[in-house]
Amino acid sequence: PRLPDTVLFEIFLYLDHADVLSVGLVCQQWRAVARDEFLWKELFYRYYRVSRDVPRHPGAVSWYDEFQRLYDTIPCVEVQALKEHNDQVLHLSFSHSGCLFASCSKDCTVKIWSNELDISLQHSSNMRPYNWSYTQFSQFNSDDSLLLVSGVFVGPHNSSSGEIAVISMENFTLLSRVRNKPYDVFGCWLNETNLISGNLHRIGRITSCSVLWLNNAFQGIESENVNVVKRLFKIQNLNASTIRTVMVADCSRYDSPDLLLDYEEQLAASSTCPVFDLGSDSEEEGAKPKLPLEPAVQELPDAGGVPAEHGLQQLFDGIMEGRVRPAMTETELETKVAELFVRNRTKPPEPNLLPTDSNSKTKYLIFTTGCLTYSPHQIGIKRILPHQMTTAGPVLGEERRSDEFFDSLDHVIDIHGHIIGMGLSPDHRYLYVNSRAWPRDCVISDPMQPPPIAEEIDLHVFDLKTMKEVKRALRAHRAYTPNEECFFIFLDVSRDFVASGAEDRHGYIWDRHYNICLAKLQHDNVVNSVAFSPVEQELLLTASDDTTIKVWRSPRAVRIRQARRPRPRKLLFSWLLNQKS
């Protein structure tokens, strides 16, 4: 008997993805309505629980294709488990070509893998001979000729610091080593041959100065102390905070991103938005609108109108006369003195630094920092100008006046929580941030005792063109370690998806446009890192404390790969059957 289409539709709401798509192929009545846009739109919103305020993906051609995309192109099928590491795997990174990827581990090796039909180990470098404790991060340079590897270095009296090594991809030789302090600065490439490292100088008990250096990748490894060739920035740290997790964003594609996350911007650009196959990474080239550039710089406020030297003198007079002593602890006094000192000892931001066209060479240096406690709770942004992107010039960079001891930040984003991960979208327009929130009305009275942090991980999204948060925070993943044991959980972003690890033994995948969680990827322990192939977003890697790297592909990619595998010839197959009988 023929069912009304609406009744049939309600039945399909309770079926799994595979049932909806496969049963529809054999059901004559379902095939008759399979291309009904209204039914697929209703099915999509109700099945995925997407708010009806959210429009269809700007590159989609139909609701049927969207439903199929979110089922068929998510890398959620485990196809391989790599077990060559013998300790916790901490980080994964792909080469820009997608042909290679690197893995770092507590076993103190960095391994280079070949991404072919079946992934295989190509090379392994042991860093223990250089007094490393473990490797923690890696990054390929823009032409994939060099690999930056960051690790924890064991110094005199078992003191821990960081070190960066540069490895040639031509013959896997070690080209240079650079000290990196603290070790969770990680380091990053600024261009093909220059990398950024950090150093930390203590000024007081809770006050310090972070210095970011530009290094040449091709210097010798025996004299690591002479590798630093140019000082980029010198930034004061208050209340035991330090600069960590540096990364570089290229501003040149801000006017032509892969995916606009603001729905109003999508609507404005819809008339010229390119249509592409959501199941692949190829796009149809088309003219893209040039949007007016909005101010992306928020100057740090001047702390009052009193000159720093006068304020400092007033503070000391108050201490001597006993007027301020009861109201200030030793920690508060150190912070107050540091704030007053830095007020007139900081180089002002450069004027007119906003990129004026899509070919701008301006880059942003992005890092975690803080102002209230040692746990990273702010994102600092500092522009790097074209003349700063080379090691040419004096060893310590441009000469500064005596009243320009520190560099100022161009923008600060406050997260109100402990930042445990950051990642850029492929076009560098959006910054994704993993954080564990503080209680809403918490007050920090001691910088060495930060507030308790939530078990839920919030995944925030910031538009680096406008410096505003553009999506509600994504949630699904969890973490359990307290503040003093909290560690970095790396995330990664592809054109349409964002993925993250978690302490709940799963990796997670969300859709960037619809803000919904699409898949949970099982491991036997904490998932520390995830990585999408930059040329094939239907391939995802996850790394875990269970010592394995898992390879995940989409259902569609699995079908295609199985179809490509050579089948045994009939004569050989018959011979094998006869031998068995």
Side-chain angles (χ1 to χ4, degrees), residues 59-112:
V61 295
S62 71
W63 285 106
Y64 173 83
D65 291 336
E66 271 300 85
F67 193 96
Q68 191 169 29
R69 176 179 75 89
L70 294 189
Y71 158 68
D72 216 20
T73 66
I74 309 301
C76 58
V77 181
E78 181 184 341
V79 296
Q80 197 173 356
L82 309 175
K83 301 180 180 180
E84 278 76 359
H85 282 290
N86 54 36
D87 207 334
Q88 302 170 1
V89 189
L90 302 180
H91 185 256
L92 299 163
S93 64
F94 267 100
S95 63
H96 294 82
S97 67
C99 297
L100 301 173
F101 69 88
S103 59
C104 295
S105 169
K106 281 287 183 74
D107 65 12
C108 207
T109 66
V110 55
K111 298 186 186 296
I112 314 298

Short mmCIF file of all heavy atoms in Angstrom, two decimals, residues 59-112:
data_model
loop_
_atom_site.label_atom_id
_atom_site.label_comp_id
_atom_site.label_asym_id
_atom_site.label_seq_id
_atom_site.Cartn_x
_atom_site.Cartn_y
_atom_site.Cartn_z
N GLY A 59 28.14 26.73 -0.57
CA GLY A 59 28.59 26.03 -1.76
C GLY A 59 27.72 24.87 -2.15
O GLY A 59 28.00 24.20 -3.15
N ALA A 60 26.65 24.59 -1.37
CA ALA A 60 25.80 23.44 -1.67
C ALA A 60 24.83 23.75 -2.80
O ALA A 60 24.37 24.89 -2.95
CB ALA A 60 25.03 23.03 -0.42
N VAL A 61 24.49 22.72 -3.57
CA VAL A 61 23.55 22.91 -4.68
C VAL A 61 22.16 22.39 -4.33
O VAL A 61 21.19 22.74 -5.00
CB VAL A 61 24.06 22.20 -5.95
CG1 VAL A 61 25.33 22.86 -6.43
CG2 VAL A 61 24.29 20.71 -5.71
N SER A 62 22.04 21.55 -3.29
CA SER A 62 20.71 21.05 -2.87
C SER A 62 20.81 20.52 -1.45
O SER A 62 21.89 20.21 -0.94
CB SER A 62 20.23 19.93 -3.81
OG SER A 62 21.00 18.75 -3.63
N TRP A 63 19.65 20.39 -0.80
CA TRP A 63 19.61 19.82 0.54
C TRP A 63 19.93 18.33 0.52
O TRP A 63 20.50 17.81 1.47
CB TRP A 63 18.25 20.07 1.18
CG TRP A 63 18.05 21.49 1.62
CD1 TRP A 63 17.28 22.45 1.03
CD2 TRP A 63 18.67 22.12 2.74
NE1 TRP A 63 17.37 23.63 1.71
CE2 TRP A 63 18.22 23.46 2.77
CE3 TRP A 63 19.56 21.69 3.72
CZ2 TRP A 63 18.63 24.36 3.75
CZ3 TRP A 63 19.98 22.58 4.70
CH2 TRP A 63 19.51 23.91 4.71
N TYR A 64 19.58 17.66 -0.53
CA TYR A 64 19.91 16.23 -0.67
C TYR A 64 21.43 16.07 -0.67
O TYR A 64 21.97 15.20 0.04
CB TYR A 64 19.32 15.68 -1.96
CG TYR A 64 19.76 14.26 -2.28
CD1 TYR A 64 19.13 13.16 -1.71
CD2 TYR A 64 20.84 14.03 -3.15
CE1 TYR A 64 19.55 11.87 -1.99
CE2 TYR A 64 21.26 12.75 -3.44
CZ TYR A 64 20.61 11.67 -2.86
OH TYR A 64 21.03 10.38 -3.13
N ASP A 65 22.14 16.90 -1.43
CA ASP A 65 23.60 16.82 -1.47
C ASP A 65 24.22 17.16 -0.12
O ASP A 65 25.22 16.56 0.28
CB ASP A 65 24.15 17.75 -2.54
CG ASP A 65 23.81 17.27 -3.94
OD1 ASP A 65 23.58 16.07 -4.11
OD2 ASP A 65 23.76 18.12 -4.86
N GLU A 66 23.61 18.11 0.60
CA GLU A 66 24.12 18.45 1.91
C GLU A 66 23.98 17.29 2.89
O GLU A 66 24.88 16.99 3.68
CB GLU A 66 23.39 19.67 2.47
CG GLU A 66 24.01 20.99 2.11
CD GLU A 66 25.43 21.12 2.62
OE1 GLU A 66 26.36 20.66 1.94
OE2 GLU A 66 25.64 21.68 3.71
N PHE A 67 22.81 16.64 2.86
CA PHE A 67 22.60 15.50 3.74
C PHE A 67 23.61 14.40 3.42
O PHE A 67 24.20 13.80 4.31
CB PHE A 67 21.17 14.96 3.58
CG PHE A 67 20.77 13.99 4.65
CD1 PHE A 67 20.06 14.42 5.76
CD2 PHE A 67 21.10 12.64 4.57
CE1 PHE A 67 19.70 13.53 6.76
CE2 PHE A 67 20.74 11.75 5.56
CZ PHE A 67 20.04 12.19 6.66
N GLN A 68 23.85 14.17 2.15
CA GLN A 68 24.79 13.13 1.75
C GLN A 68 26.22 13.53 2.10
O GLN A 68 27.03 12.69 2.51
CB GLN A 68 24.68 12.87 0.25
CG GLN A 68 25.44 11.63 -0.21
CD GLN A 68 25.10 11.25 -1.63
OE1 GLN A 68 24.76 12.11 -2.43
NE2 GLN A 68 25.18 9.97 -1.93
N ARG A 69 26.54 14.81 1.97
CA ARG A 69 27.90 15.26 2.32
C ARG A 69 28.22 14.98 3.78
O ARG A 69 29.30 14.47 4.11
CB ARG A 69 28.05 16.76 2.04
CG ARG A 69 29.40 17.33 2.48
CD ARG A 69 29.52 18.81 2.17
NE ARG A 69 28.75 19.64 3.08
CZ ARG A 69 29.23 20.14 4.22
NH1 ARG A 69 30.46 19.87 4.60
NH2 ARG A 69 28.47 20.91 4.98
N LEU A 70 27.29 15.32 4.66
CA LEU A 70 27.57 15.15 6.09
C LEU A 70 27.56 13.68 6.51
O LEU A 70 27.99 13.37 7.62
CB LEU A 70 26.56 15.95 6.92
CG LEU A 70 26.65 17.47 6.78
CD1 LEU A 70 25.78 18.15 7.80
CD2 LEU A 70 28.09 17.95 6.91
N TYR A 71 27.07 12.81 5.68
CA TYR A 71 27.17 11.39 5.97
C TYR A 71 28.39 10.77 5.30
O TYR A 71 29.16 10.02 5.90
CB TYR A 71 25.91 10.64 5.49
CG TYR A 71 26.18 9.16 5.28
CD1 TYR A 71 26.46 8.32 6.35
CD2 TYR A 71 26.20 8.61 3.99
CE1 TYR A 71 26.73 6.97 6.16
CE2 TYR A 71 26.46 7.27 3.79
CZ TYR A 71 26.73 6.45 4.87
OH TYR A 71 27.00 5.13 4.68
N ASP A 72 28.60 11.13 4.05
CA ASP A 72 29.51 10.36 3.20
C ASP A 72 30.93 10.89 3.16
O ASP A 72 31.83 10.19 2.71
CB ASP A 72 28.95 10.32 1.77
CG ASP A 72 29.21 8.99 1.09
OD1 ASP A 72 29.46 8.00 1.80
OD2 ASP A 72 29.18 8.95 -0.15
N THR A 73 31.18 12.14 3.60
CA THR A 73 32.52 12.71 3.43
C THR A 73 33.21 13.01 4.75
O THR A 73 34.25 13.68 4.79
CB THR A 73 32.46 14.01 2.60
OG1 THR A 73 31.74 15.01 3.33
CG2 THR A 73 31.80 13.76 1.26
N ILE A 74 32.67 12.52 5.87
CA ILE A 74 33.30 12.73 7.17
C ILE A 74 34.34 11.63 7.39
O ILE A 74 34.01 10.44 7.28
CB ILE A 74 32.26 12.68 8.31
CG1 ILE A 74 31.10 13.62 8.01
CG2 ILE A 74 32.92 13.04 9.64
CD1 ILE A 74 31.49 15.03 7.85
N PRO A 75 35.59 11.96 7.71
CA PRO A 75 36.60 10.92 7.94
C PRO A 75 36.40 10.22 9.29
O PRO A 75 37.05 10.55 10.29
CB PRO A 75 37.92 11.70 7.89
CG PRO A 75 37.56 13.09 8.27
CD PRO A 75 36.16 13.31 7.76
N CYS A 76 35.51 9.25 9.31
CA CYS A 76 35.11 8.59 10.55
C CYS A 76 35.29 7.08 10.52
O CYS A 76 34.90 6.38 11.45
CB CYS A 76 33.67 8.94 10.90
SG CYS A 76 32.48 8.49 9.62
N VAL A 77 35.89 6.54 9.44
CA VAL A 77 36.11 5.10 9.31
C VAL A 77 37.59 4.82 9.54
O VAL A 77 38.44 5.32 8.79
CB VAL A 77 35.67 4.58 7.93
CG1 VAL A 77 35.90 3.07 7.84
CG2 VAL A 77 34.20 4.93 7.67
N GLU A 78 37.91 4.04 10.56
CA GLU A 78 39.32 3.72 10.83
C GLU A 78 39.81 2.72 9.79
O GLU A 78 39.26 1.65 9.62
CB GLU A 78 39.48 3.13 12.22
CG GLU A 78 40.91 2.79 12.58
CD GLU A 78 41.05 2.11 13.93
OE1 GLU A 78 40.11 2.21 14.75
OE2 GLU A 78 42.09 1.46 14.17
N VAL A 79 40.90 3.08 9.10
CA VAL A 79 41.43 2.22 8.05
C VAL A 79 42.83 1.70 8.36
O VAL A 79 43.31 0.77 7.71
CB VAL A 79 41.46 2.95 6.69
CG1 VAL A 79 40.05 3.30 6.23
CG2 VAL A 79 42.32 4.21 6.76
N GLN A 80 43.50 2.29 9.36
CA GLN A 80 44.87 1.85 9.67
C GLN A 80 45.25 2.35 11.06
O GLN A 80 44.84 3.44 11.48
CB GLN A 80 45.85 2.38 8.62
CG GLN A 80 47.19 1.68 8.59
CD GLN A 80 48.05 2.15 7.41
OE1 GLN A 80 47.60 2.94 6.57
NE2 GLN A 80 49.29 1.68 7.35
N ALA A 81 46.02 1.57 11.79
CA ALA A 81 46.58 1.97 13.08
C ALA A 81 48.09 1.82 13.01
O ALA A 81 48.60 0.73 12.75
CB ALA A 81 46.00 1.13 14.21
N LEU A 82 48.80 2.91 13.24
CA LEU A 82 50.26 2.93 13.17
C LEU A 82 50.81 2.79 14.59
O LEU A 82 50.50 3.61 15.46
CB LEU A 82 50.75 4.22 12.53
CG LEU A 82 50.08 4.57 11.19
CD1 LEU A 82 50.55 5.95 10.70
CD2 LEU A 82 50.38 3.51 10.14
N LYS A 83 51.65 1.78 14.81
CA LYS A 83 52.09 1.45 16.17
C LYS A 83 53.61 1.47 16.31
O LYS A 83 54.18 0.81 17.18
CB LYS A 83 51.55 0.07 16.57
CG LYS A 83 50.03 -0.01 16.52
CD LYS A 83 49.52 -1.38 16.92
CE LYS A 83 47.99 -1.43 16.88
NZ LYS A 83 47.46 -2.76 17.27
N GLU A 84 54.29 2.26 15.50
CA GLU A 84 55.75 2.30 15.54
C GLU A 84 56.29 3.08 16.73
O GLU A 84 57.44 2.89 17.13
CB GLU A 84 56.30 2.87 14.24
CG GLU A 84 56.40 1.86 13.10
CD GLU A 84 55.06 1.56 12.46
OE1 GLU A 84 54.04 2.11 12.92
OE2 GLU A 84 55.04 0.77 11.51
N HIS A 85 55.53 4.00 17.31
CA HIS A 85 55.97 4.70 18.52
C HIS A 85 55.79 3.78 19.72
O HIS A 85 54.84 2.97 19.77
CB HIS A 85 55.16 5.98 18.73
CG HIS A 85 55.58 7.12 17.84
ND1 HIS A 85 56.77 7.78 17.99
CD2 HIS A 85 54.93 7.71 16.79
CE1 HIS A 85 56.87 8.73 17.07
NE2 HIS A 85 55.76 8.72 16.33
N ASN A 86 56.67 3.91 20.71
CA ASN A 86 56.55 3.09 21.92
C ASN A 86 56.25 3.90 23.17
O ASN A 86 56.46 3.44 24.29
CB ASN A 86 57.81 2.24 22.13
CG ASN A 86 59.07 3.07 22.15
OD1 ASN A 86 59.08 4.19 22.64
ND2 ASN A 86 60.15 2.51 21.61
N ASP A 87 55.77 5.13 22.98
CA ASP A 87 55.30 5.95 24.10
C ASP A 87 54.22 6.89 23.57
O ASP A 87 53.87 6.84 22.39
CB ASP A 87 56.47 6.73 24.71
CG ASP A 87 56.25 7.05 26.19
OD1 ASP A 87 55.07 7.12 26.61
OD2 ASP A 87 57.24 7.23 26.91
N GLN A 88 53.72 7.75 24.42
CA GLN A 88 52.63 8.65 24.05
C GLN A 88 52.98 9.46 22.80
O GLN A 88 54.07 10.00 22.68
CB GLN A 88 52.34 9.62 25.20
CG GLN A 88 51.97 8.93 26.51
CD GLN A 88 51.94 9.90 27.67
OE1 GLN A 88 52.18 11.10 27.52
NE2 GLN A 88 51.65 9.39 28.85
N VAL A 89 52.03 9.54 21.87
CA VAL A 89 52.20 10.36 20.66
C VAL A 89 51.56 11.71 20.91
O VAL A 89 50.36 11.78 21.23
CB VAL A 89 51.59 9.68 19.42
CG1 VAL A 89 51.98 10.44 18.17
CG2 VAL A 89 52.04 8.22 19.32
N LEU A 90 52.34 12.77 20.78
CA LEU A 90 51.90 14.09 21.22
C LEU A 90 51.44 15.02 20.11
O LEU A 90 50.61 15.88 20.35
CB LEU A 90 53.05 14.78 21.99
CG LEU A 90 53.58 14.03 23.21
CD1 LEU A 90 54.70 14.83 23.86
CD2 LEU A 90 52.47 13.75 24.20
N HIS A 91 51.97 14.84 18.89
CA HIS A 91 51.64 15.83 17.85
C HIS A 91 51.79 15.22 16.47
O HIS A 91 52.62 14.34 16.24
CB HIS A 91 52.55 17.06 17.97
CG HIS A 91 52.20 18.16 17.02
ND1 HIS A 91 52.93 18.42 15.87
CD2 HIS A 91 51.19 19.05 17.02
CE1 HIS A 91 52.39 19.43 15.23
NE2 HIS A 91 51.33 19.84 15.90
N LEU A 92 50.97 15.73 15.54
CA LEU A 92 50.99 15.33 14.14
C LEU A 92 50.99 16.57 13.25
O LEU A 92 50.32 17.56 13.58
CB LEU A 92 49.77 14.47 13.79
CG LEU A 92 49.58 13.16 14.55
CD1 LEU A 92 48.15 12.67 14.39
CD2 LEU A 92 50.57 12.12 14.05
N SER A 93 51.71 16.52 12.14
CA SER A 93 51.67 17.64 11.19
C SER A 93 51.90 17.11 9.78
O SER A 93 52.77 16.27 9.56
CB SER A 93 52.74 18.68 11.54
OG SER A 93 54.05 18.15 11.39
N PHE A 94 51.11 17.60 8.84
CA PHE A 94 51.23 17.24 7.42
C PHE A 94 52.15 18.22 6.70
O PHE A 94 52.23 19.41 7.06
CB PHE A 94 49.87 17.28 6.74
CG PHE A 94 49.15 15.96 6.71
CD1 PHE A 94 48.14 15.69 7.62
CD2 PHE A 94 49.48 14.99 5.78
CE1 PHE A 94 47.46 14.48 7.60
CE2 PHE A 94 48.81 13.78 5.73
CZ PHE A 94 47.80 13.51 6.64
N SER A 95 52.82 17.73 5.66
CA SER A 95 53.47 18.62 4.72
C SER A 95 52.40 19.33 3.89
O SER A 95 51.25 18.86 3.80
CB SER A 95 54.42 17.84 3.80
OG SER A 95 53.69 16.91 3.01
N HIS A 96 52.74 20.45 3.28
CA HIS A 96 51.74 21.21 2.51
C HIS A 96 51.26 20.43 1.29
O HIS A 96 50.12 20.61 0.84
CB HIS A 96 52.33 22.55 2.09
CG HIS A 96 52.62 23.46 3.24
ND1 HIS A 96 53.77 23.36 3.99
CD2 HIS A 96 51.91 24.47 3.79
CE1 HIS A 96 53.76 24.28 4.94
NE2 HIS A 96 52.64 24.97 4.84
N SER A 97 52.11 19.56 0.76
CA SER A 97 51.71 18.75 -0.40
C SER A 97 50.82 17.58 0.01
O SER A 97 50.18 16.96 -0.84
CB SER A 97 52.96 18.20 -1.10
OG SER A 97 53.63 17.27 -0.26
N GLY A 98 50.79 17.24 1.29
CA GLY A 98 50.02 16.10 1.77
C GLY A 98 50.70 14.77 1.56
O GLY A 98 50.15 13.73 1.94
N CYS A 99 51.91 14.77 0.99
CA CYS A 99 52.61 13.51 0.70
C CYS A 99 53.29 12.92 1.92
O CYS A 99 53.53 11.71 1.98
CB CYS A 99 53.64 13.73 -0.41
SG CYS A 99 52.94 14.24 -1.98
N LEU A 100 53.64 13.77 2.90
CA LEU A 100 54.33 13.32 4.10
C LEU A 100 53.62 13.85 5.33
O LEU A 100 52.89 14.84 5.26
CB LEU A 100 55.78 13.83 4.10
CG LEU A 100 56.71 13.43 2.96
CD1 LEU A 100 58.03 14.18 3.08
CD2 LEU A 100 56.94 11.92 2.95
N PHE A 101 53.84 13.20 6.46
CA PHE A 101 53.47 13.80 7.72
C PHE A 101 54.48 13.37 8.79
O PHE A 101 55.19 12.38 8.63
CB PHE A 101 52.03 13.48 8.13
CG PHE A 101 51.77 12.05 8.51
CD1 PHE A 101 51.94 11.60 9.82
CD2 PHE A 101 51.30 11.14 7.56
CE1 PHE A 101 51.68 10.28 10.16
CE2 PHE A 101 51.03 9.83 7.89
CZ PHE A 101 51.22 9.39 9.21
N ALA A 102 54.56 14.18 9.86
CA ALA A 102 55.51 13.92 10.94
C ALA A 102 54.75 13.69 12.23
O ALA A 102 53.67 14.24 12.44
CB ALA A 102 56.47 15.10 11.08
N SER A 103 55.35 12.89 13.11
CA SER A 103 54.75 12.62 14.42
C SER A 103 55.81 12.79 15.50
O SER A 103 56.97 12.41 15.32
CB SER A 103 54.16 11.21 14.47
OG SER A 103 55.14 10.23 14.20
N CYS A 104 55.43 13.37 16.63
CA CYS A 104 56.32 13.58 17.78
C CYS A 104 55.79 12.79 18.96
O CYS A 104 54.58 12.62 19.12
CB CYS A 104 56.40 15.06 18.13
SG CYS A 104 57.16 16.07 16.85
N SER A 105 56.72 12.35 19.84
CA SER A 105 56.31 11.41 20.87
C SER A 105 57.17 11.54 22.12
O SER A 105 58.29 12.06 22.08
CB SER A 105 56.39 9.98 20.33
OG SER A 105 56.26 9.01 21.34
N LYS A 106 56.64 11.01 23.23
CA LYS A 106 57.40 10.91 24.47
C LYS A 106 58.56 9.93 24.33
O LYS A 106 59.43 9.88 25.20
CB LYS A 106 56.48 10.48 25.60
CG LYS A 106 55.61 11.59 26.19
CD LYS A 106 56.43 12.54 27.02
CE LYS A 106 55.57 13.62 27.68
NZ LYS A 106 54.79 13.10 28.80
N ASP A 107 58.60 9.13 23.27
CA ASP A 107 59.75 8.23 23.07
C ASP A 107 60.96 8.97 22.50
O ASP A 107 61.97 8.35 22.17
CB ASP A 107 59.37 7.03 22.20
CG ASP A 107 59.01 7.42 20.76
OD1 ASP A 107 59.26 8.57 20.35
OD2 ASP A 107 58.44 6.57 20.04
N CYS A 108 60.85 10.31 22.38
CA CYS A 108 61.95 11.20 21.96
C CYS A 108 62.34 11.02 20.50
O CYS A 108 63.47 11.33 20.12
CB CYS A 108 63.18 11.01 22.86
SG CYS A 108 64.20 12.51 22.95
N THR A 109 61.43 10.54 19.69
CA THR A 109 61.70 10.46 18.26
C THR A 109 60.73 11.35 17.49
O THR A 109 59.63 11.63 17.96
CB THR A 109 61.57 9.02 17.72
OG1 THR A 109 60.20 8.60 17.82
CG2 THR A 109 62.46 8.06 18.48
N VAL A 110 61.16 11.79 16.32
CA VAL A 110 60.26 12.39 15.35
C VAL A 110 60.29 11.45 14.15
O VAL A 110 61.35 11.11 13.64
CB VAL A 110 60.66 13.83 14.98
CG1 VAL A 110 62.10 13.92 14.50
CG2 VAL A 110 59.71 14.40 13.92
N LYS A 111 59.12 11.01 13.73
CA LYS A 111 59.02 10.05 12.64
C LYS A 111 58.38 10.71 11.43
O LYS A 111 57.41 11.48 11.57
CB LYS A 111 58.22 8.81 13.07
CG LYS A 111 58.87 8.05 14.22
CD LYS A 111 58.14 6.75 14.52
CE LYS A 111 58.70 6.06 15.76
NZ LYS A 111 60.10 5.65 15.62
N ILE A 112 58.92 10.41 10.25
CA ILE A 112 58.40 10.93 8.99
C ILE A 112 57.71 9.78 8.27
O ILE A 112 58.28 8.71 8.08
CB ILE A 112 59.53 11.48 8.10
CG1 ILE A 112 60.48 12.37 8.92
CG2 ILE A 112 58.95 12.25 6.92
CD1 ILE A 112 59.83 13.58 9.51
#
